[in-house]
Amino acid sequence: MYGFINTCLKSLIVEKYGEETWEELRHTAGVQDNFMTFEVYRDEITMQLVEEACTLLGVPPATVLQQFGEYFFEFCKRSGYDHMLRTLGGNLYEFIENLDALHSYLSLSYQEMNAPSFRVEKNEDGTMHLHYYSDRKGLCHIVPGIIGAVAMDFFHTEISMEIINQIEEEERIGKKEHVVFHVIQKPVFSYKRTNKSSTSQQFQTESEKEIEKQLKKEELKKTMNKIRDRTTRIPVCPLKRKSHWETVRGIVQIGKGKILRGFVPAYPENLWVDVKTFCNGLPFHVVFDEELRVKQAGVSIQRIVPGVQTMGIRLDQYFDIIHPEVTFTISSVRKFINSQFVFRTKREMMPESWKHRPMLELRGQMMWMEKYQCMLFLCSPLLRTLHELEERQMHISDIAPHDVTRDLILLNQQRLAEMELSNQLERKKEELRILSKHLEAERKKTEALLYAMLPKHVANQLKEGKRVEAGEFKECTILFSDVVTFTNICAQCEPIQIVCMLNSMYLRFDRLTTVHDVYKVETIGDAYMVVGGVPVPVSTHAERVANFALGMIIAAKEVKNPVNGYPIQVRVGVHTGPVLAGVVGEKMPRYCLFGDTVNTASRMESHGLADTIHLSPSTFKCLDNKKFEVTERGEIEVKGKGKMYTFFLLKNMSATEDEIMGRPSRESDSGRASVQSIHDSRIETLPGSCNKGVEDDSNEDLPPTIPMQYADRPLCPQTSTKAIKYARIMQLTGKIRDSESYGSLHSDRHSGEDLCALEPERSRPATTGPQNRSIKSTFCTVL
């Protein structure tokens, strides 16, 4: 089928059910998004789309096809075929009768079109039998949709169609389905269209029709009175009797043409055309009898097919019927007498000069002559372009001057040139659309990378060429963490093992930044720094960082020490106070924090203990009465600060571990051991590696990220079970990625996405900045 059909089907789905439904449908069917109008596609694509639409929408195929038929009629009208369709016939019978002629005309432009064929029969009770023939099985339900829409729009009638017979046509060659519909028409006197795009006019009411009939009667009465008045004025003296044609002309002139409604043609007693003139004036015609024996032929057919000069030879010896695809018998021809017929010459019967040329095709009309019991085939050469004319070594002069085929060839030549230009423009448009889509995807990747380095509002200001002023935050909470005995681990392991260990740990920490909406400032070696309340101030900054710290302790237990295979231990220090934040430098600009709060937070970490969260007095004050379990450590000596009374954070009394970790309430860890064993064995095979493997779960299936709810963060309806399931599916298929996810050093693994961001500015990209603490020399040695 041509892309026009698939485009119509796409338009129907998008218009009726939405763009999302079409995307789901085409992904399920495995087809492209756009179709070229003049390009031919496999029938299986359309069939598959229809089948998937039935499954997705939960409706039977007959309903989908009938709805498609109704929409296809409107789609054709919107595509510029409105006037062409309206002129096919004055009633539904004539419209259907000329559908094959329309398809024959459209085949000039759509040369590979394989259209169905229609034949209609009138019944004595006013109903019709519509015969539908098609090479494609299962599409017959489109017909009631199309015919019903045509009847309502063009002829103001409602119809009911039911299938009374459905067989495989035995008389036809190549056609595989023959469906007979019983059509009943019912006039509609008052009808309002709901479709505003329709160009049809409103129907007349019964009263308007009665008025029109009355006016016609009055006009006819006046006309007859004029005729009567004229006859009364005729003198008594005898006059020359008027001929039949003079009488008819006089009546028509007096009635101004109104009396033509009852026109009856007049035929001469003898045919005033001699045989020679007839054969020359109609150079392409054939007369044959019931046995298909040629009785008469036009001069051009005799010249091209010399065999027909021998009167009495059988026509089927020299020609095949191409359309309609029926057996070459007089009964079959009479059955389809209202259809256009296409004959093609047989190659073996043509002269030698024609053996290497394309065969000549003749298209025309069949007329049965009852008096002679013969069939007249009035035809013309079926030629679409000048190229086809040249291939057959014919000329325009070979076609009779009155034959519109001459003009049709020239017009279609121009039409094909316009179609080719339109097709090229359509291809360029599709290429630009694909390039634009790719460009948009690359832009999003670039923005995601940029937002991973700088806060979103800071990055936007830099993109616009504006200067980013430093901002003062009166209160925020800063966290530092590091790995206990990291120096010893680096001394005993290969660099790749250290990198894998840190990557596994940081992936978990990065995921927690999304859960608690805190900002990752930097990582230096095994040190990890985050801040709450910057760059977007929030009142719950201390609670967020505290929950994040609790999550770090839990997450660190999932990362194995490559030396001994036991879980690693981390120290965490937290402090609350004012900071100054801003962008420093032009080359690789970073969003950094400055102030004594940074130093104090670093001291809390360096003076902490393994697997503990060390709190400063200011942070303890912020967490007081917040349902956190905190124990006193007492007064200690802090380098550069003197004596400080500090605390240890133990747990959150009001939140579960799953909530702190951002996991669904029921999470299964089955299969994690097997994944671990695979990574361990891979690491152990490295030359010079430690005896114990290191965990590298960058490719591990992480659960979906569920943001934790805080008092200054609105409840998110997306954290329902359905959203969790959707997040998992999209994460596994790679369709969703966190705006501040951090790429693994060995894979494209990213942390889960925050399904409920508070504000567009509230992204938490991974950035680094200067930190007032020393960098471990051992990590430098490893690198």
Side-chain angles (χ1 to χ4, degrees):
M1 295 186 185
Y2 274 90
F4 183 84
I5 304 296
N6 295 331
T7 302
C8 175
L9 183 56
K10 174 189 174 181
S11 180
L12 169 64
I13 298 297
V14 171
E15 188 173 314
K16 300 289 185 182
Y17 304 102
E19 186 73 34
E20 297 81 7
T21 304
W22 165 251
E23 287 296 326
E24 183 178 356
L25 174 61
R26 78 175 188 86
H27 279 300
T28 306
V31 301
Q32 63 265 43
D33 187 21
N34 286 283
F35 301 93
M36 309 295 290
T37 301
F38 300 106
E39 188 171 329
V40 180
Y41 296 88
R42 294 181 295 108
D43 289 352
E44 289 77 9
I45 294 178
T46 308
M47 302 297 186
Q48 195 169 359
L49 283 173
V50 172
E51 290 177 4
E52 295 298 338
C54 295
T55 304
L56 182 63
L57 302 176
V59 294
T63 304
V64 172
L65 291 173
Q66 184 167 350
Q67 190 174 12
F68 173 72
E70 295 172 357
Y71 187 83
F72 181 71
F73 171 66
E74 294 293 338
F75 188 77
C76 289
K77 292 200 316 180
R78 293 204 300 263
S79 301
Y81 295 97
D82 185 17
H83 296 293
M84 184 182 299
L85 293 171
R86 288 182 182 276
T87 56
L88 281 186
N91 53 53
L92 186 60
Y93 176 83
E94 294 176 355
F95 180 91
I96 300 174
E97 197 175 46
N98 287 281
L99 276 178
D100 281 8
L102 174 64
H103 290 155
S104 178
Y105 168 75
L106 293 177
S107 65
L108 298 175
S109 301
Y110 301 89
Q111 297 184 11
E112 296 184 44
M113 182 174 67
N114 184 14
S117 181
F118 297 89
R119 178 169 61 88
V120 63
E121 298 173 346
K122 277 186 177 180
N123 300 323
E124 294 180 357
D125 58 355
T127 62
M128 294 185 296
H129 282 164
L130 172 59
H131 296 259
Y132 165 79
Y133 303 88
S134 176
D135 285 337
R136 304 178 179 95
K137 288 186 177 181
L139 298 181
C140 61
H141 296 288
I142 295 179
V143 178
I146 296 177
I147 301 301
V150 169
M152 186 64 73
D153 197 330
F154 288 170
F155 309 113
H156 319 323
T157 58
E158 288 182 349
I159 65 169
S160 62
M161 297 180 62
E162 62 175 347
I163 298 176
I164 60 175
N165 194 12
Q166 186 170 3
I167 59 174
E168 288 189 3
E169 180 61 54
E170 297 179 357
E171 294 183 359
R172 301 174 65 80
I173 301 172
K175 296 296 182 182
K176 299 178 179 60
E177 189 173 51
H178 175 197
V179 182
V180 182
F181 294 92
H182 184 63
V183 184
I184 302 176
Q185 300 186 70
K186 177 183 175 183
V188 177
F189 299 105
S190 179
Y191 176 73
K192 295 182 179 179
R193 291 196 63 86
T194 57
N195 188 355
K196 297 181 179 180
S197 64
S198 175
T199 58
S200 61
Q201 300 177 350
Q202 296 294 331
F203 302 135
Q204 293 178 326
T205 61
E206 292 186 18
S207 58
E208 291 175 343
K209 290 185 177 181
E210 291 296 330
I211 294 173
E212 185 178 354
K213 288 181 180 179
Q214 188 65 28
L215 291 174
K216 290 179 179 179
K217 288 181 180 179
E218 292 179 359
E219 290 180 2
L220 183 60
K221 186 176 181 180
K222 289 180 181 180
T223 302
M224 297 306 296
N225 289 336
K226 288 181 180 180
I227 296 174
R228 192 180 299 109
D229 293 340
R230 177 169 293 186
T231 56
T232 56
R233 298 192 194 102
I234 296 177
V236 181
C237 59
L239 293 176
K240 183 179 180 181
R241 184 177 181 182
K242 291 186 177 180
S243 67
H244 173 75
W245 291 108
E246 289 177 342
T247 304
V248 172
R249 282 196 295 270
I251 294 176
V252 172
Q253 288 176 359
I254 294 173
K256 297 181 180 178
K258 299 295 182 182
I259 206 155
L260 283 176
R261 294 181 180 273
F263 171 73
V264 177
Y267 300 102
E269 295 179 1
N270 298 312
L271 183 62
W272 292 88
V273 179
D274 63 272
V275 175
K276 185 176 180 181
T277 303
F278 189 88
C279 292
N280 282 284
L282 298 174
F284 291 95
H285 82 275
V286 180
V287 177
F288 55 96
D289 61 12
E290 293 179 330
E291 296 179 356
L292 305 181
R293 299 192 179 278
V294 177
K295 299 296 183 180
Q296 180 179 314
V299 293
S300 294
I301 291 184
Q302 296 180 38
R303 180 172 56 83
I304 297 173
V305 189
V308 299
Q309 287 181 311
T310 305
M311 300 306 168
I313 60 104
R314 290 178 58 88
L315 190 62
D316 57 351
Q317 293 178 353
Y318 288 87
F319 291 93
D320 289 323
I321 298 181
I322 304 303
H323 183 273
E325 295 177 359
V326 296
T327 54
F328 208 150
T329 61
I330 198 68
S331 59
S332 298
V333 172
R334 293 191 65 177
K335 185 184 295 186
F336 288 85
I337 196 168
N338 292 322
S339 301
Q340 278 195 346
F341 277 76
V342 178
F343 283 10
R344 178 187 292 166
T345 55
K346 292 185 177 181
R347 187 174 299 276
E348 62 273 13
M349 304 301 293
M350 295 295 287
E352 285 295 328
S353 59
W354 271 85
K355 288 296 179 68
H356 303 290
R357 306 182 203 171
M359 292 295 98
L360 178 66
E361 294 183 355
L362 301 173
R363 180 182 61 185
Q365 172 189 6
M366 292 290 183
M367 300 182 68
W368 176 250
M369 297 181 291
E370 189 68 31
K371 180 179 179 181
Y372 298 104
Q373 291 293 298
C374 289
M375 187 72 71
L376 170 62
F377 181 41
L378 288 172
C379 56
S380 300
L382 180 55
L383 300 171
R384 300 178 181 88
T385 62
L386 294 175
H387 178 68
E388 293 182 0
L389 191 71
E390 293 174 351
E391 283 184 329
R392 291 158 179 80
Q393 297 185 9
M394 296 178 63
H395 303 85
I396 292 291
S397 58
D398 294 329
I399 305 172
H402 63 79
D403 194 340
V404 295
T405 304
R406 299 162 65 110
D407 299 328
L408 187 61
I409 293 174
L410 298 176
L411 289 175
N412 196 53
Q413 184 73 24
Q414 181 181 0
R415 166 67 175 159
L416 290 176
E418 293 173 354
M419 284 177 55
E420 179 61 27
L421 180 60
S422 176
N423 205 14
Q424 291 178 7
L425 291 175
E426 196 172 1
R427 287 196 185 96
K428 292 297 181 183
K429 179 182 176 182
E430 178 64 13
E431 291 175 4
L432 289 175
R433 189 193 67 82
I434 295 175
L435 289 176
S436 177
K437 186 177 180 180
H438 291 168
L439 182 62
E440 180 65 17
E442 294 301 322
R443 185 188 66 82
K444 289 182 178 179
K445 290 181 183 178
T446 304
E447 286 187 349
L449 180 61
L450 180 61
Y451 295 153
M453 299 173 61
L454 295 169
K456 190 172 183 179
H457 71 282
V458 173
N460 291 335
Q461 286 181 328
L462 291 177
K463 285 197 302 183
E464 295 172 1
K466 298 178 181 179
R467 180 181 178 84
V468 181
E469 300 292 339
E472 182 180 359
F473 296 84
K474 295 187 179 299
E475 189 176 67
C476 68
T477 300
I478 298 176
L479 175 148
F480 278 96
S481 73
D482 71 347
V483 178
V484 179
T485 67
F486 183 69
T487 303
N488 297 333
I489 294 175
C490 292
Q492 300 179 47
C493 292
E494 294 291 332
I496 184 62
Q497 294 177 297
I498 303 301
V499 171
C500 291
M501 181 192 73
L502 292 178
N503 185 54
S504 177
M505 180 179 67
Y506 287 160
L507 281 175
R508 289 170 167 79
F509 292 173
D510 291 344
R511 184 173 175 274
L512 289 172
T513 62
T514 300
V515 175
H516 301 287
D517 200 6
V518 293
Y519 180 67
K520 177 182 176 183
V521 181
E522 67 173 342
T523 58
I524 300 179
D526 65 324
Y528 196 93
M529 176 184 178
V530 299
V531 60
V534 176
V536 179
V538 290
S539 60
T540 58
H541 53 83
E543 299 172 51
R544 295 172 185 271
V545 174
N547 285 325
F548 177 82
L550 292 171
M552 293 180 77
I553 300 298
I554 299 172
K557 295 178 181 179
E558 300 175 359
V559 182
K560 301 297 177 62
N561 186 330
V563 176
N564 54 29
Y566 294 116
I568 63 172
Q569 294 179 312
V570 294
R571 280 190 301 262
V572 181
V574 183
H575 177 60
T576 301
V579 295
L580 188 70
V583 177
V584 294
E586 293 182 353
K587 297 289 186 179
M588 296 182 64
R590 312 299 295 174
Y591 189 73
C592 303
L593 305 181
F594 303 92
D596 187 61
T597 302
V598 179
N599 297 332
T600 305
S602 177
R603 294 292 181 261
M604 290 296 100
E605 177 268 319
S606 60
H607 289 73
L609 303 178
D611 284 339
T612 60
I613 303 171
H614 196 196
L615 304 181
S616 70
S618 59
T619 304
F620 170 76
K621 183 177 179 180
C622 291
L623 295 179
D624 194 20
N625 299 324
K626 299 292 185 181
K627 297 183 179 180
F628 285 91
E629 183 177 345
V630 180
T631 184
E632 296 182 359
R633 182 183 186 184
E635 190 175 69
I636 63 172
E637 183 71 26
V638 178
K639 181 179 178 181
K641 297 295 179 182
K643 295 185 181 296
M644 292 183 66
Y645 201 87
T646 60
F647 304 84
F648 286 130
L649 174 64
L650 300 181
K651 63 179 179 179
N652 187 331
M653 305 293 293
S654 61
T656 65
E657 179 179 318
D658 286 335
E659 289 177 336
I660 292 174
M661 298 301 294
R663 298 182 299 223
S665 57
R666 294 181 181 180
E667 179 184 5
S668 175
D669 292 331
S670 61
R672 184 166 298 179
S674 61
V675 174
Q676 175 61 36
S677 63
I678 293 174
H679 290 295
D680 290 346
S681 62
R682 181 174 63 84
I683 297 298
E684 289 175 358
T685 59
L686 291 174
S689 64
C690 299
N691 293 330
K692 297 293 184 180
V694 63
E695 179 180 14
D696 180 14
D697 54 1
S698 59
N699 292 322
E700 181 183 344
D701 289 338
L702 297 178
T705 302
I706 309 299
M708 192 170 180
Q709 306 302 328
Y710 290 93
D712 54 358
R713 181 175 192 165
L715 290 177
C716 180
Q718 292 177 327
T719 55
S720 61
T721 305
K722 184 177 180 180
I724 295 172
K725 180 180 178 182
Y726 177 75
R728 177 179 289 275
I729 293 174
M730 297 304 286
Q731 189 179 34
L732 293 176
T733 55
K735 299 296 176 59
I736 290 182
R737 293 190 177 181
D738 187 17
S739 59
E740 55 272 353
S741 56
Y742 308 95
S744 167
L745 296 173
H746 298 286
S747 70
D748 294 332
R749 185 70 188 171
H750 292 265
S751 61
E753 179 169 352
D754 184 356
L755 293 177
C756 181
L758 178 62
E759 294 176 352
E761 296 81 11
R762 179 114 13 132
S763 59
R764 297 162 300 284
T767 61
T768 60
Q771 176 183 352
N772 294 326
R773 61 172 303 180
S774 60
I775 304 175
K776 288 182 170 54
S777 59
T778 54
F779 186 75
C780 297
T781 304
V782 169
L783 297 181

